[in-house]
Amino acid sequence: VIVRPSLDFMRFLHSTKQTPQQLLELDSRQFEELVAEIWHRFGYEVELTARTRDGGRDIIAVRKCEANLRFLIECKRYRPSHKVGIEVVRSLYGVKVHDQATKAILATTSYFTSPAKDFFRQHQWELESRDYDGIVDWVKRIRD
């Protein structure tokens, strides 16, 4: 399924560049849709998984180019004070290995605990973290 944004969603992307705090106003599904649209605009074919029983990943992003790439993206729409812990990261790593993806990415509106950051560092070529600041950076890279 290729995700296509509505006009309101396009406006949201534009206004989020000016006011990143709007990310915190999204519900979980809207956050998943935002990340899917970002990756679509990065040039990937994007599949947004079902709301429930998603298999531990919310988005599958594929690009066929010099080398075929398949990223699994798990989205966690948390309050900034609710940090993502190592259990979630380990679970995503297991899904990445099982699905034989190129890399798995955990995108959150929050931040990561120290043990989670350490795990990402130990598996930097297989896992990537994107906290609130990283999501804001993605949004800013999108051209209007």
Side-chain angles (χ1 to χ4, degrees):
V1 176
I2 302 296
V3 177
R4 300 281 184 229
S6 66
L7 183 59
D8 290 340
F9 193 69
M10 303 273 278
R11 270 191 232 129
F12 180 82
L13 263 176
H14 178 70
S15 65
T16 301
K17 288 181 184 182
Q18 311 305 317
T19 314
Q21 298 81 4
Q22 289 185 64
L23 288 172
L24 303 175
E25 296 172 13
L26 298 173
D27 65 31
S28 294
R29 187 59 174 189
Q30 290 169 329
F31 180 59
E32 293 169 8
E33 291 171 358
L34 172 72
V35 173
E37 177 58 20
I38 289 169
W39 278 80
H40 174 72
R41 289 179 174 234
F42 285 164
Y44 289 78
E45 293 179 30
V46 176
E47 177 185 339
L48 188 60
T49 62
R51 287 178 184 241
T52 58
R53 298 188 178 154
D54 61 16
R57 71 258 191 252
D58 298 310
I59 301 161
I60 300 168
V62 175
R63 181 186 284 170
K64 295 178 180 174
C65 54
E66 299 82 20
N68 293 336
L69 303 171
R70 183 170 183 259
F71 295 133
L72 306 180
I73 305 170
E74 178 69 359
C75 299
K76 295 295 181 191
R77 187 357 203 134
Y78 290 165
R79 296 178 318 278
S81 60
H82 180 178
K83 291 186 176 184
V84 178
I86 192 167
E87 300 81 16
V88 176
V89 180
R90 283 184 176 148
S91 177
L92 179 60
Y93 181 71
V95 172
K96 181 254 177 234
V97 170
H98 181 267
D99 285 6
Q100 299 178 345
T102 308
K103 192 172 210 175
I105 301 165
L106 207 155
T108 184
T109 52
S110 182
Y111 297 93
F112 296 94
T113 63
S114 291
K117 289 178 188 177
D118 290 342
F119 196 86
F120 279 116
R121 274 191 290 277
Q122 292 167 4
H123 300 277
Q124 68 178 333
W125 298 108
E126 298 175 275
L127 290 175
E128 190 165 323
S129 62
R130 283 292 167 153
D131 61 13
Y132 174 83
D133 298 325
I135 302 301
V136 170
D137 180 58
W138 280 350
V139 169
K140 289 180 178 178
R141 291 177 183 225
I142 300 299
R143 294 188 186 115
D144 292 328

Coordinates of all heavy atoms in Angstrom, one line a residue, residues 62-105:
V62 N 10.9 0.3 1.0 CA 11.7 -0.5 0.1 C 12.2 0.5 -1.0 O 11.4 1.3 -1.5 CB 11.0 -1.6 -0.6 CG1 11.8 -2.3 -1.6 CG2 10.5 -2.6 0.5
R63 N 13.5 0.4 -1.4 CA 14.0 1.1 -2.5 C 14.9 0.1 -3.3 O 15.8 -0.5 -2.8 CB 14.9 2.3 -2.1 CG 15.4 3.1 -3.3 CD 16.3 4.2 -3.0 NE 15.6 5.3 -2.5 CZ 16.2 6.4 -1.9 NH1 17.5 6.4 -1.8 NH2 15.5 7.4 -1.5
K64 N 14.6 0.1 -4.6 CA 15.3 -0.7 -5.5 C 16.2 0.2 -6.3 O 15.7 1.0 -7.1 CB 14.4 -1.6 -6.4 CG 13.6 -2.6 -5.6 CD 12.7 -3.4 -6.4 CE 11.9 -4.3 -5.4 NZ 10.9 -5.1 -6.1
C65 N 17.5 0.1 -6.1 CA 18.4 1.0 -6.8 C 19.7 0.3 -6.9 O 19.7 -0.9 -7.3 CB 18.6 2.3 -6.0 SG 19.1 2.1 -4.3
E66 N 20.9 0.9 -6.7 CA 22.2 0.2 -6.9 C 22.2 -1.1 -6.0 O 22.8 -2.1 -6.5 CB 23.3 1.1 -6.4 CG 23.4 2.4 -7.2 CD 22.5 3.5 -6.7 OE1 22.0 3.4 -5.6 OE2 22.2 4.4 -7.5
A67 N 21.6 -1.0 -4.9 CA 21.4 -2.2 -4.0 C 20.0 -2.1 -3.5 O 19.5 -1.0 -3.1 CB 22.4 -2.2 -2.9
N68 N 19.3 -3.2 -3.5 CA 18.0 -3.2 -2.9 C 18.0 -3.1 -1.4 O 18.8 -3.7 -0.7 CB 17.2 -4.5 -3.3 CG 17.0 -4.6 -4.8 OD1 16.9 -3.6 -5.5 ND2 16.8 -5.8 -5.3
L69 N 17.1 -2.2 -0.9 CA 17.1 -1.9 0.5 C 15.7 -2.1 1.0 O 14.7 -1.8 0.4 CB 17.5 -0.4 0.8 CG 18.8 0.0 0.3 CD1 19.0 1.6 0.4 CD2 19.9 -0.7 1.0
R70 N 15.6 -2.7 2.2 CA 14.3 -2.9 2.9 C 14.4 -2.5 4.3 O 15.2 -3.2 5.1 CB 13.9 -4.4 2.7 CG 12.5 -4.7 3.3 CD 12.1 -6.1 2.9 NE 10.8 -6.4 3.4 CZ 10.6 -7.2 4.4 NH1 11.6 -7.7 5.1 NH2 9.3 -7.4 4.8
F71 N 13.8 -1.5 4.7 CA 13.8 -1.0 6.1 C 12.5 -1.3 6.8 O 11.4 -1.1 6.2 CB 14.0 0.5 6.1 CG 15.4 1.0 5.6 CD1 15.5 2.0 4.7 CD2 16.6 0.3 6.0 CE1 16.7 2.4 4.3 CE2 17.8 0.7 5.5 CZ 17.9 1.8 4.7
L72 N 12.6 -1.7 8.0 CA 11.4 -1.9 8.9 C 11.4 -0.7 9.9 O 12.5 -0.4 10.5 CB 11.5 -3.2 9.7 CG 11.7 -4.5 8.9 CD1 11.7 -5.7 9.8 CD2 10.6 -4.6 7.9
I73 N 10.3 0.0 10.0 CA 10.3 1.1 10.9 C 9.1 0.9 11.9 O 8.0 0.7 11.5 CB 10.0 2.4 10.1 CG1 11.0 2.6 8.9 CG2 10.0 3.6 11.0 CD1 10.7 3.7 7.9
E74 N 9.5 1.0 13.1 CA 8.6 0.9 14.2 C 8.4 2.3 14.8 O 9.4 3.0 15.0 CB 9.1 -0.1 15.3 CG 8.2 -0.2 16.5 CD 6.9 -0.9 16.3 OE1 6.6 -1.3 15.1 OE2 6.1 -1.0 17.2
C75 N 7.2 2.7 15.0 CA 6.9 4.1 15.5 C 6.3 4.0 16.9 O 5.4 3.2 17.2 CB 5.9 4.8 14.6 SG 6.4 5.0 12.9
K76 N 6.8 4.8 17.8 CA 6.3 5.0 19.1 C 6.0 6.4 19.4 O 6.9 7.3 19.5 CB 7.4 4.5 20.1 CG 7.7 3.0 20.0 CD 6.5 2.1 20.4 CE 6.8 0.7 20.3 NZ 5.6 -0.1 20.3
R77 N 4.7 6.7 19.5 CA 4.2 8.0 19.7 C 4.0 8.2 21.3 O 3.0 7.8 21.8 CB 2.9 8.3 19.0 CG 2.2 9.7 19.0 CD 2.9 10.7 19.7 NE 2.0 11.8 20.1 CZ 2.0 12.3 21.4 NH1 2.7 11.7 22.3 NH2 1.3 13.3 21.7
Y78 N 5.1 8.6 21.9 CA 5.1 8.7 23.4 C 5.2 10.1 23.8 O 5.7 11.0 23.0 CB 6.3 7.9 24.0 CG 6.3 6.4 23.9 CD1 7.5 5.7 24.2 CD2 5.2 5.7 23.7 CE1 7.5 4.3 24.2 CE2 5.2 4.3 23.6 CZ 6.3 3.6 23.9 OH 6.4 2.3 23.9
R79 N 4.9 10.4 25.0 CA 5.1 11.7 25.6 C 6.6 11.9 25.8 O 7.3 10.9 26.0 CB 4.5 11.8 27.0 CG 3.0 11.8 27.0 CD 2.4 11.8 28.5 NE 3.2 11.0 29.5 CZ 3.0 9.7 29.7 NH1 2.2 9.0 28.9 NH2 3.8 9.1 30.6
P80 N 7.2 13.1 25.7 CA 8.6 13.3 25.8 C 9.2 12.7 27.1 O 10.3 12.2 27.1 CB 8.8 14.8 25.8 CG 7.6 15.3 25.0 CD 6.5 14.3 25.4
S81 N 8.4 12.6 28.2 CA 8.9 12.1 29.5 C 8.9 10.6 29.5 O 9.5 10.0 30.4 CB 8.1 12.7 30.6 OG 6.7 12.3 30.4
H82 N 8.2 9.9 28.6 CA 8.2 8.4 28.5 C 9.2 7.9 27.6 O 9.0 7.8 26.4 CB 6.8 8.0 28.1 CG 6.6 6.5 28.0 ND1 5.4 6.0 27.7 CD2 7.5 5.5 28.2 CE1 5.5 4.6 27.7 NE2 6.8 4.3 28.0
K83 N 10.4 7.6 28.1 CA 11.5 7.2 27.2 C 11.3 5.8 26.7 O 10.8 5.0 27.4 CB 12.8 7.3 28.0 CG 13.3 8.8 28.2 CD 14.6 8.8 28.8 CE 15.1 10.3 29.0 NZ 16.4 10.4 29.5
V84 N 11.8 5.5 25.6 CA 11.8 4.2 25.0 C 12.9 3.4 25.6 O 14.1 3.7 25.6 CB 12.0 4.2 23.4 CG1 11.9 2.8 22.9 CG2 10.9 5.1 22.8
G85 N 12.5 2.2 26.1 CA 13.5 1.3 26.8 C 14.1 0.3 25.9 O 13.7 0.0 24.8
I86 N 15.0 -0.5 26.5 CA 15.8 -1.5 25.8 C 14.9 -2.6 25.3 O 15.1 -3.2 24.3 CB 17.0 -1.9 26.6 CG1 17.9 -2.8 25.7 CG2 16.5 -2.7 27.8 CD1 19.3 -3.0 26.2
E87 N 13.8 -2.9 26.0 CA 13.0 -4.1 25.7 C 12.3 -3.9 24.3 O 12.3 -4.8 23.5 CB 11.8 -4.3 26.7 CG 12.3 -4.5 28.1 CD 12.7 -3.3 28.9 OE1 12.3 -2.1 28.5 OE2 13.4 -3.4 29.9
V88 N 11.9 -2.6 24.0 CA 11.3 -2.3 22.7 C 12.4 -2.4 21.6 O 12.1 -3.0 20.5 CB 10.7 -0.9 22.7 CG1 10.2 -0.5 21.4 CG2 9.6 -0.8 23.8
V89 N 13.6 -2.0 21.9 CA 14.7 -2.0 20.9 C 15.0 -3.5 20.6 O 15.2 -3.9 19.5 CB 15.9 -1.2 21.4 CG1 17.0 -1.3 20.4 CG2 15.4 0.2 21.7
R90 N 15.2 -4.3 21.7 CA 15.5 -5.7 21.5 C 14.4 -6.4 20.7 O 14.7 -7.3 19.8 CB 15.7 -6.4 22.8 CG 17.0 -6.1 23.5 CD 17.2 -6.9 24.7 NE 18.5 -6.6 25.3 CZ 18.7 -6.6 26.6 NH1 17.7 -6.9 27.5 NH2 19.9 -6.4 27.1
S91 N 13.2 -6.1 20.9 CA 12.1 -6.7 20.2 C 12.2 -6.3 18.7 O 12.0 -7.2 17.8 CB 10.8 -6.2 20.8 OG 9.7 -6.8 20.1
L92 N 12.4 -5.1 18.4 CA 12.6 -4.7 17.0 C 13.8 -5.3 16.4 O 13.7 -5.8 15.2 CB 12.7 -3.1 16.9 CG 12.9 -2.6 15.5 CD1 11.7 -2.9 14.7 CD2 13.1 -1.1 15.6
Y93 N 14.8 -5.5 17.1 CA 16.0 -6.2 16.5 C 15.6 -7.6 16.1 O 16.0 -8.1 15.1 CB 17.2 -6.2 17.5 CG 18.4 -6.8 17.0 CD1 19.2 -6.3 16.0 CD2 18.8 -8.1 17.5 CE1 20.3 -6.9 15.6 CE2 20.0 -8.7 17.1 CZ 20.7 -8.1 16.1 OH 21.9 -8.7 15.6
G94 N 14.9 -8.3 17.0 CA 14.4 -9.6 16.7 C 13.5 -9.7 15.4 O 13.7 -10.6 14.6
V95 N 12.7 -8.7 15.3 CA 11.8 -8.7 14.1 C 12.7 -8.4 12.8 O 12.5 -9.1 11.8 CB 10.8 -7.5 14.2 CG1 10.0 -7.3 12.9 CG2 9.8 -7.9 15.3
K96 N 13.7 -7.5 12.9 CA 14.6 -7.2 11.8 C 15.3 -8.5 11.4 O 15.4 -8.8 10.2 CB 15.6 -6.2 12.2 CG 16.5 -5.8 11.2 CD 17.9 -6.3 11.5 CE 18.9 -6.0 10.4 NZ 19.6 -7.2 9.9
V97 N 15.8 -9.3 12.3 CA 16.6 -10.5 12.0 C 15.6 -11.5 11.4 O 15.9 -12.1 10.3 CB 17.3 -11.1 13.3 CG1 17.8 -12.5 13.0 CG2 18.4 -10.1 13.7
H98 N 14.4 -11.7 12.0 CA 13.5 -12.7 11.5 C 13.0 -12.3 10.0 O 12.9 -13.2 9.2 CB 12.3 -12.7 12.4 CG 11.2 -13.7 11.9 ND1 10.2 -13.4 11.1 CD2 11.1 -15.1 12.1 CE1 9.5 -14.4 10.9 NE2 10.0 -15.5 11.5
D99 N 12.8 -11.0 9.8 CA 12.3 -10.6 8.5 C 13.4 -10.4 7.5 O 13.2 -10.1 6.3 CB 11.5 -9.3 8.6 CG 10.1 -9.5 9.2 OD1 9.8 -10.6 9.6 OD2 9.4 -8.5 9.2
Q100 N 14.7 -10.5 7.9 CA 15.9 -10.4 7.0 C 15.9 -9.0 6.3 O 16.2 -8.9 5.1 CB 16.0 -11.5 6.0 CG 16.1 -12.9 6.7 CD 16.1 -14.0 5.7 OE1 15.8 -13.9 4.5 NE2 16.6 -15.2 6.2
A101 N 15.5 -8.0 7.1 CA 15.5 -6.6 6.5 C 17.0 -6.1 6.5 O 17.8 -6.5 7.2 CB 14.6 -5.7 7.4
T102 N 17.2 -5.1 5.7 CA 18.5 -4.4 5.6 C 18.8 -3.7 7.0 O 19.9 -3.8 7.5 CB 18.5 -3.3 4.5 OG1 18.0 -4.0 3.3 CG2 19.8 -2.7 4.3
K103 N 17.8 -3.0 7.5 CA 17.9 -2.3 8.8 C 16.6 -2.0 9.4 O 15.5 -2.0 8.7 CB 18.6 -0.9 8.5 CG 19.1 -0.2 9.7 CD 19.9 1.0 9.3 CE 20.9 1.3 10.3 NZ 21.8 2.4 9.9
A104 N 16.5 -1.9 10.7 CA 15.3 -1.5 11.4 C 15.5 -0.2 12.1 O 16.6 0.1 12.6 CB 14.9 -2.6 12.4
I105 N 14.5 0.6 12.1 CA 14.5 2.0 12.6 C 13.4 2.1 13.6 O 12.3 1.7 13.4 CB 14.4 3.0 11.5 CG1 15.5 2.8 10.4 CG2 14.4 4.4 12.1 CD1 15.2 3.6 9.1

